[in-house]
Amino acid sequence: MEIYDALLNRRSVRAYYDKPVEREKLDMILKAGAYAPSALNNQKRQFIAITDKKVLSALNYAVESAVDEATRERVKSRSSKDEFNFFYNAPVLIVTACDENEIRPTEDCACALENMFLCAYGLGLGSCWINQLSSICEREPIASVLKDLGMKEGYRVYGCAAIGYGDEGKLSRPKTNEIIII
Ligand SMILES: Cc1cc2nc3c(=O)[nH]c(=O)nc-3n(C[C@H](O)[C@H](O)[C@H](O)COP(=O)(O)O)c2cc1C
């Protein structure tokens, strides 16, 4: 079962080749996100796929100027490349936003992000959840950059997906979630 392979073998990738993602693949990933469930089927998510290097760099700079030193160091320690960037130098960042007055915006976006990660895996691409923007999306200069990118009024970022051809295949810790079957 292909979907089960993706579910078990997808891993967060934190280093990417400098290679663009094909447009057809990006379209498929975005569609996978859009087809994720949403509470009351409200579908109030916005997916902003950034592929332009200059925009990615501007957003990275905006995040850098808004986060505290501890966050910066923590993210840096997870990056396996010397040339540090909050999005691990991925060629695509999909900002996943939602109307903050929706009934379940966090969950709606989380479902979409996981769909996109699994789709990316199926297409031979790596991916990683990038969380930094979520808590600081209303801070300047980030708010202005997001507005310029088309994020709607009253929306916030609930997570981002870094997507690209992975430069590593590191396995994460074994999964230890508790399972009870009665
Ligand atoms: C809500 C959430 C936020 C996350 N934020 C980040 C992040 O900001 N940066 C990062 O490198 N990974 C982030 N991750 C990825 C987790 O660290 C990763 O899923 C976990 O270590 C398990 O590894 P795996 O994805 O390879 O199974 C996040 C994951 C979730 C679910």
Side-chain angles (χ1 to χ4, degrees):
M1 192 176 31
E2 272 177 43
I3 184 78
Y4 206 57
D5 167 59
L7 286 163
L8 263 50
N9 292 313
R10 174 218 55 82
R11 294 277 76 82
S12 296
V13 169
R14 298 189 175 89
Y16 294 90
Y17 293 116
D18 184 15
K19 178 181 171 187
V21 172
E22 295 84 345
R23 180 57 193 263
E24 310 81 68
K25 290 190 175 182
L26 179 57
D27 287 343
M28 286 174 77
I29 292 167
L30 290 164
K31 190 168 178 179
Y35 271 68
S38 61
L40 298 175
N41 199 18
N42 279 345
Q43 301 186 53
K44 289 288 169 56
R45 291 169 292 225
Q46 234 192 333
F47 300 99
I48 303 172
I50 310 172
T51 59
D52 185 309
K53 281 188 178 180
K54 282 196 201 118
V55 178
L56 283 168
S57 165
L59 190 58
N60 179 60
Y61 182 74
V63 174
E64 178 130 35
S65 56
V67 295
D68 54 59
E69 188 57 25
T71 304
R72 188 184 192 286
E73 285 312 308
R74 182 168 40 78
V75 179
K76 195 173 179 185
S77 71
R78 300 179 92 175
S79 177
S80 46
K81 276 196 168 171
D82 292 339
E83 203 188 313
F84 172 71
N85 166 296
F86 278 95
F87 319 132
Y88 303 115
N89 294 297
V92 179
L93 186 77
I94 304 175
V95 176
T96 307
C98 192
D99 184 336
E100 58 183 331
N101 292 314
E102 270 311 307
I103 180 168
R104 296 274 180 231
T106 308
E107 294 85 341
D108 291 351
C109 289
C111 286
L113 282 158
E114 179 67 348
N115 265 20
M116 294 194 285
F117 297 148
L118 293 171
C119 182
Y121 176 86
L123 294 169
L125 290 155
S127 65
C128 189
W129 184 308
I130 304 293
N131 211 44
Q132 280 66 50
L133 270 171
S134 314
S135 50
I136 55 175
C137 63
E138 72 286 359
R139 279 191 216 161
E140 289 299 349
I142 298 178
S144 298
V145 175
L146 292 169
K147 193 173 177 215
D148 288 349
L149 292 175
M151 195 172 87
K152 288 186 195 158
E153 187 78 31
Y155 273 53
R156 358 179 0 107
V157 177
Y158 289 89
C160 299
I163 309 272
Y165 286 94
D167 196 7
E168 65 172 0
K170 215 188 327 172
L171 286 181
S172 56
R173 280 187 288 127
K175 304 299 181 186
T176 54
N177 308 259
E178 189 178 0
I179 296 172
I180 298 174
I181 302 175
I182 296 167

